[in-house]
Amino acid sequence: MIIVLKSEASAADEKALRDLLSSQKIGSSRISGDGCVLYVCPGAVSEDQRQMISGFPFVEKLMGEKREELRCESEGKPFEYGGLLLGRDLCVIAGPCAVQEDQDLTEAAGSVARCGARMFRAGAFKPRTSPYSYQGMGIKAVNMIAEAGRISGLPTVCEIPSERYLDDFTDIDILQVGARNMQNFELLRALGRCGKPVLLKRGAGSTADELMYACEYIFSGGNERIILCERGIRTFETSCRNTLDVGTIASLKRRTGLPVFADPSHAAGSRDLVEALSLAAVAAGADGLMIETSDDPHRALSDSAQAVGCDTLAGIVSSAACVREIAYGR
Ligand code: PEP
Ligand code: MN
């Protein structure tokens, strides 16, 4: 970062600046010429520190601002799970939006496994916009998901709504942070210590930077097994439920070595768009997909319009593998 001083800055002003820089342990060198004084700070400067510096009335502007370096960006890497190297081997996670009383979950897990999915997902605590919509079966569903995973042999993924349920999720393999909880910092901190991989969804109104900061809470807390998941953001466009941000998928792949997945279901909102969005995500670099399925969508109490059947899922698994092979040679 370069600090440009106003021409009227006095020696006392410069001393105040140098005192602040040294109290904040920010290294700097002074350059002057043509009546212009600059302080060049080669190291990282945090947003809070930038605000302190630019608050001096004699500071003209800050240039070349550099964001804090995030460990999840510089050190994040693919990791092994469920017989796959996540971040390198394509992985499809599939299953119903929510567990229901009348559902044979073991059959649902077996069915997605036969279609080529490598992990089983299902919701137990559903974050619904309206409190009158189906809220999920809670802890009973968590146990049913774990059981279906055991019988089918697929690792399980389930959204944990709060850190207070960590003990109830002991038998779930991968803990999902829902889009609405992406900035629940207490939950993120607890997941940093939980010892299980985390699938972190991007908030519908969050930037990629905010997603990476959320990821850093978990990573810097000691948990480096994180899957980032783009699930569509809110824009002015209404043709899909959310706008799948494929540009950010490509950009995240350049920012971090952590696995980057996409959830085309919550982006599409309707089943006829799920395959196209899946392939677009994989072409942009997504290492995996999370897809909502249902054998009988007419009975699904949540997100039935976006649930795909087994045939569509099997088609997506094989065409996604072709796209990845053509685009990335793996
Ligand atoms: C889900 O995956 O079931 C879900 C609720 O997704 P999101 O948090 O992205 O809305
Ligand atoms: Mn859903």
Side-chain angles (χ1 to χ4, degrees):
M1 180 186 73
I2 298 171
I3 306 166
V4 181
L5 301 193
K6 289 182 178 162
S7 53
E8 64 267 23
S10 65
D13 291 337
E14 283 196 52
K15 176 165 184 323
L17 174 64
R18 280 196 305 275
D19 287 349
L20 174 66
L21 294 176
S22 71
S23 74
Q24 291 295 313
K25 302 190 174 37
I26 300 172
S28 67
S29 332
R30 182 181 190 278
I31 299 175
S32 65
D34 280 347
C36 182
V37 176
L38 309 175
Y39 279 78
V40 178
C41 310
V45 180
S46 73
E47 173 57 28
D48 288 336
Q49 291 169 329
R50 284 199 295 269
Q51 289 191 21
M52 288 194 274
I53 297 163
S54 56
F56 280 127
F58 55 84
V59 168
E60 175 78 43
K61 61 182 169 185
L62 306 184
M63 290 168 59
E65 295 176 29
K66 202 163 130 218
R67 273 195 316 111
E68 286 156 297
E69 292 206 347
L70 300 184
R71 284 187 49 214
C72 64
E73 293 186 332
S74 55
E75 298 170 32
K77 53 180 187 297
F79 60 89
E80 303 248 6
Y81 205 82
L84 296 173
L85 183 59
L86 301 179
R88 186 143 292 267
D89 304 329
L90 186 67
C91 172
V92 175
I93 305 169
C97 177
V99 179
Q100 295 176 206
E101 285 285 358
D102 54 357
Q103 208 169 16
D104 183 344
L105 216 55
T106 303
E107 166 52 29
S111 154
V112 303
R114 286 190 293 280
C115 296
R118 301 296 299 261
M119 296 188 192
F120 180 59
R121 66 141 288 149
F125 294 86
K126 294 311 297 178
R128 307 304 299 282
T129 302
S130 163
Y132 304 116
S133 301
Y134 181 59
Q135 302 287 308
M137 286 166 53
I139 292 166
K140 187 172 170 203
V142 175
N143 297 329
M144 288 167 67
I145 296 165
E147 168 84 352
R150 258 192 306 275
I151 295 172
S152 66
L154 293 186
T156 50
V157 183
C158 182
E159 176 173 350
I160 181 163
S162 154
E163 65 280 11
R164 70 174 185 274
Y165 291 110
L166 269 170
D167 287 344
D168 300 302
F169 277 67
T170 310
D171 295 330
I172 296 295
D173 298 301
I174 298 187
L175 303 181
Q176 176 173 327
V177 177
R180 293 155 190 80
N181 249 338
M182 189 202 87
Q183 288 188 315
N184 179 340
F185 299 115
E186 283 310 310
L187 173 62
L188 300 177
R189 277 198 197 93
L191 294 178
R193 304 183 294 264
C194 76
K196 287 178 191 262
V198 172
L199 184 141
L200 176 64
K201 287 203 159 186
R202 175 184 181 184
S206 299
T207 63
D209 280 351
E210 287 163 343
L211 172 64
M212 294 314 293
Y213 279 119
C215 178
E216 186 75 356
Y217 270 90
I218 305 170
F219 198 97
S220 63
N223 185 354
E224 303 185 355
R225 295 188 297 170
I226 304 164
I227 300 167
L228 300 166
C229 185
E230 158 63 26
R231 47 77 76 202
I233 52 172
R234 183 168 287 192
T235 68
F236 55 82
E237 183 52 68
T238 55
S239 56
C240 290
R241 181 178 180 186
N242 291 287
T243 299
L244 185 71
D245 185 2
V246 286
T248 286
I249 293 172
S251 153
L252 289 174
K253 284 296 295 173
R254 283 155 184 76
R255 282 175 75 160
T256 176
L258 289 171
V260 177
F261 280 35
D263 167 352
S265 304
H266 289 89
S270 60
R271 70 179 61 84
D272 57 322
L273 295 173
V274 171
E275 177 159 19
L277 297 195
S278 298
L279 301 186
V282 172
D287 303 300
L289 299 167
M290 176 182 256
I291 297 177
E292 285 190 348
T293 59
S294 173
D295 290 337
D296 190 2
H298 306 293
R299 281 156 49 93
L301 295 173
S302 62
D303 289 348
S304 68
Q306 69 198 30
V308 298
C310 205
D311 290 349
T312 307
L313 176 64
I316 293 173
V317 170
S318 67
S319 23
C322 293
V323 169
R324 189 162 171 92
E325 174 66 34
I326 292 166
Y328 300 98
R330 59 173 190 262

